[in-house]
C-alpha cells in the first residue's frame, strides 16, 4: 500500500499518469492498477480520470494531506530507529503546563539526561499554549482534549479529575453520598471556567451529563491555590488525579465517588505530547516521547498510587 500511496501523491502533484509512470519507470497500466487497488482498499474514488487529465475527487483532496502524513511518519520512524543505534545528541526544546511540568515532567527530564548525557533539554514551563512553529518547540505537553490540527499527538496518559476533600472537612460537614449531594457542599471552583472546561463537575449519568451548578466560598484561576484550600479543609475540589494523587496517598485528601465515572464517556481528554511533522529533530523528539511514556508508566504512576491506596484502605 505504501508504494500505491507514493504513486497517488505523485499523480496528485503531476496530474498525469504518463509522467508518473516515466518518473517511476513503470508502465501507465501498472500505475493505473495500483491506484485502482488503493481506491478499492480505501473504499472511495481518488481521481476523476479523462483522456487528457487526472483530477482529484473531493475524497481524494481530503485524503491527500493524510497520505503525506503517513509517509512523513514512516520516514521519521526510520530516523528514530537509526537514532536508537547511536548516542543521541544535540538540543531539544520542550514546553509544558507549569504545575504539571514541575511535578511530573521535571523528574522524567532528569532521568532522560542521565540516560542520554550528550543531549541538551531546554524546557519552557508556561500555561500559555505556544505555537510550535513560531517558538521552534520540538515537543509540547498538552493536557485536555486536543483540537484538530496537523500536529502529531502521542497520548502519554489518560486524564481524569477526582472529587476530593480533606478528612477534617468531611468530619465537620459529612460525606456526600452521590455527586448530586455536592450542591449542598462548599465546592471550590476554578474561576470563570465552570461551564467552559469539558468534564468539570460533570459525572456520567448525573444531571444529564451536564455540569452541576456547584457553589462555594472560594474560587481561583490557580489550581494549586484550590488544592491548598482543600488541604486546609475549606471545601471540596474537582482536580486532576496527577495533582491530587500525592495528597490522597498521604491521607491528606479523601477521594469521593470512586465508583462513579468522573467524566461522561463522550469527553475523552488526555495528557499528550505533540510535535510538528517534518522537523529535523523528529528522531530525538520521538526518543524523548518514548522515554516520557516509560517514565509515566501504564497506568500512569500517579493513578496507580491512588488505586493502590484505595485498595489498601478498603481492607482496613
Amino acid at each position: 500500500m505504501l508504494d500505491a500511496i507514493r504513486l497517488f501523491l505523485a499523480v496528485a502533484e503531476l496530474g498525469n499518469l504518463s509522467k508518473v509512470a516515466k518518473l517511476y519507470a513503470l508502465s501507465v497500466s501498472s500505475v493505473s492498477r495500483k491506484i485502482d487497488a488503493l481506491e478499492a482498499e480505501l473504499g472511495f474514488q481518488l481521481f476523476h480520470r479523462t483522456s487528457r487529465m487526472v483530477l482529484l475527487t473531493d475524497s481524494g483532496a481530503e485524503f491527500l494531506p493524510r497520505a503525506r502524513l503517513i509517509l512523513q511518519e514512516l520516514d521519521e520512524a526510520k530516523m528514530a530507529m537509526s537514532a536508537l543505534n547511536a548516542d543521541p545528541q544535540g538540543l531539544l526544546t520542550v514546553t509544558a503546563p507549569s504545575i504539571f511540568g514541575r511535578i511530573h515532567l521535571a523528574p522524567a527530564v532528569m532521568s532522560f539526561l542521565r540516560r542520554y548525557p550528550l543531549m541538551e533539554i531546554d524546557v519552557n514551563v508556561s500555561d500559555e499554549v505556544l505555537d510550535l512553529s513560531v517558538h521552534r518547540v520540538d515537543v509540547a505537553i498538552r493536557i485536555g482534549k486536543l483540537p484538530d490540527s496537523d500536529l502529531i499527538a502521542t497520548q502519554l496518559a489518560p486524564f481524569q479529575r477526582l472529587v476530593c476533600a480533606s478528612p477534617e472537612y468531611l468530619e465537620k460537614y459529612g460525606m456526600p453520598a452521590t455527586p448530586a449531594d455536592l450542591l449542598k457542599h462548599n465546592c471550590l471552583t476554578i474561576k470563570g471556567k465552570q461551564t467552559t472546561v469539558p468534564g468539570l463537575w460533570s459525572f456520567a449519568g448525573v444531571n444529564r451529563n451536564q455540569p452541576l451548578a456547584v457553589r462555594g466560598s472560594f474560587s481561583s484561576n490557580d489550581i494549586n491555590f484550590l488544592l491548598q484550600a482543600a488541604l486546609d479543609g475549606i471545601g471540596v475540589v474537582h482536580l486532576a488525579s496527577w495533582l491530587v494523587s500525592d495528597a490522597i496517598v498521604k491521607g491528606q485528601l479523601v477521594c469521593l465517588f470512586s465508583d462513579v465515572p468522573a467524566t461522561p464517556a463522550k469527553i475523552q481528554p488526555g495528557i499528550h505530547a505533540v510535535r510538528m511533522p517534518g522537523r529535523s529533530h523528529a528522531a530525538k523528539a520521538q526518543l524523548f516521547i518514548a522515554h516520557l511514556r516509560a517514565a509515566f508508566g501504564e497506568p500512569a504512576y500517579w493513578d496507580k498510587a491512588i488505586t493502590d491506596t484505595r485498595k489498601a484502605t478498603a481492607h482496613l
Side-chain angles (χ1 to χ4, degrees):
M1 178 181 278
L2 290 174
D3 288 341
I5 290 176
R6 288 192 175 89
L7 290 175
F8 160 72
L9 292 174
V11 173
E13 180 180 351
L14 299 177
N16 186 288
L17 294 179
S18 297
K19 291 180 180 179
V20 173
K22 185 176 181 180
L23 179 66
Y24 283 90
L26 297 170
S27 66
V28 174
S29 60
S30 179
V31 173
S32 182
R33 282 196 302 271
K34 287 183 179 292
I35 296 297
D36 289 341
L38 180 60
E39 290 177 330
E41 180 73 21
L42 295 173
F44 52 80
Q45 188 177 354
L46 296 170
F47 295 106
H48 295 299
R49 307 182 209 182
T50 69
S51 57
R52 294 187 175 182
M53 64 182 66
V54 179
L55 299 174
L56 283 168
T57 63
D58 290 343
S59 297
E62 185 174 343
F63 179 65
L64 184 62
R66 300 174 188 272
R68 289 185 180 129
L69 189 59
I70 290 171
L71 294 186
Q72 286 173 348
E73 277 283 273
L74 178 63
D75 291 340
E76 290 178 7
K78 291 178 179 178
M79 290 171 58
M81 294 307 297
S82 297
L84 291 176
N85 296 323
D87 291 330
Q89 56 184 302
L91 177 65
L92 198 68
T93 56
V94 180
T95 184
S98 54
I99 299 177
F100 183 87
R102 288 193 293 269
I103 297 175
H104 298 293
L105 180 63
V109 169
M110 299 310 113
S111 61
F112 181 81
L113 290 173
R114 286 193 296 270
R115 184 173 180 180
Y116 303 105
L118 298 181
M119 286 292 299
E120 302 172 32
I121 304 288
D122 180 354
V123 177
N124 177 9
V125 288
S126 170
D127 293 326
E128 180 185 359
V129 179
L130 300 180
D131 186 317
L132 272 61
S133 60
V134 173
H135 295 273
R136 305 295 296 173
V137 173
D138 296 308
V139 178
I141 308 302
R142 300 275 169 83
I143 299 177
K145 193 169 184 180
L146 294 176
D148 292 334
S149 72
D150 293 331
L151 297 176
I152 301 170
T154 301
Q155 180 164 300
L156 302 175
F159 174 73
Q160 61 173 331
R161 291 187 181 89
L162 301 176
V163 181
C164 301
S166 71
E168 293 77 15
Y169 175 88
L170 296 174
E171 182 178 356
K172 185 174 181 179
Y173 297 101
M175 178 84 71
T178 69
D181 290 339
L182 292 172
L183 297 173
K184 305 172 187 176
H185 280 263
N186 192 40
C187 295
L188 313 178
T189 58
I190 298 177
K191 189 175 182 179
K193 293 186 177 182
Q194 295 313 111
T195 59
T196 58
V197 177
L200 198 56
W201 299 101
S202 299
F203 305 88
V206 177
N207 195 34
R208 298 181 180 179
N209 292 337
Q210 297 302 308
L212 293 170
V214 298
R215 300 185 65 181
S217 62
F218 179 73
S219 64
S220 175
N221 66 340
D222 185 277
I223 57 175
N224 214 32
F225 211 144
L226 293 175
L227 173 61
Q228 188 58 52
L231 292 171
D232 288 343
I234 303 301
V236 183
V237 287
H238 194 196
L239 295 174
S241 61
W242 58 260
L243 180 62
V244 298
S245 62
D246 189 51
I248 291 173
V249 171
K250 292 178 179 178
Q252 297 169 319
L253 290 178
V254 177
C255 182
L256 310 177
F257 320 130
S258 58
D259 58 338
V260 179
T263 304
K266 67 178 181 179
I267 302 172
Q268 297 294 337
I271 301 171
H272 294 86
V274 300
R275 60 187 179 84
M276 292 183 62
R279 290 290 295 271
S280 59
H281 291 179
K284 288 181 287 188
Q286 287 179 293
L287 188 65
F288 179 69
I289 291 170
H291 181 83
L292 291 182
R293 291 191 67 186
F296 293 162
E298 188 177 352
Y301 64 80
W302 52 85
D303 288 332
K304 184 178 185 302
I306 293 172
T307 300
D308 291 346
T309 299
R310 285 173 176 168
K311 290 179 180 177
T313 304
H315 291 302
L316 295 179

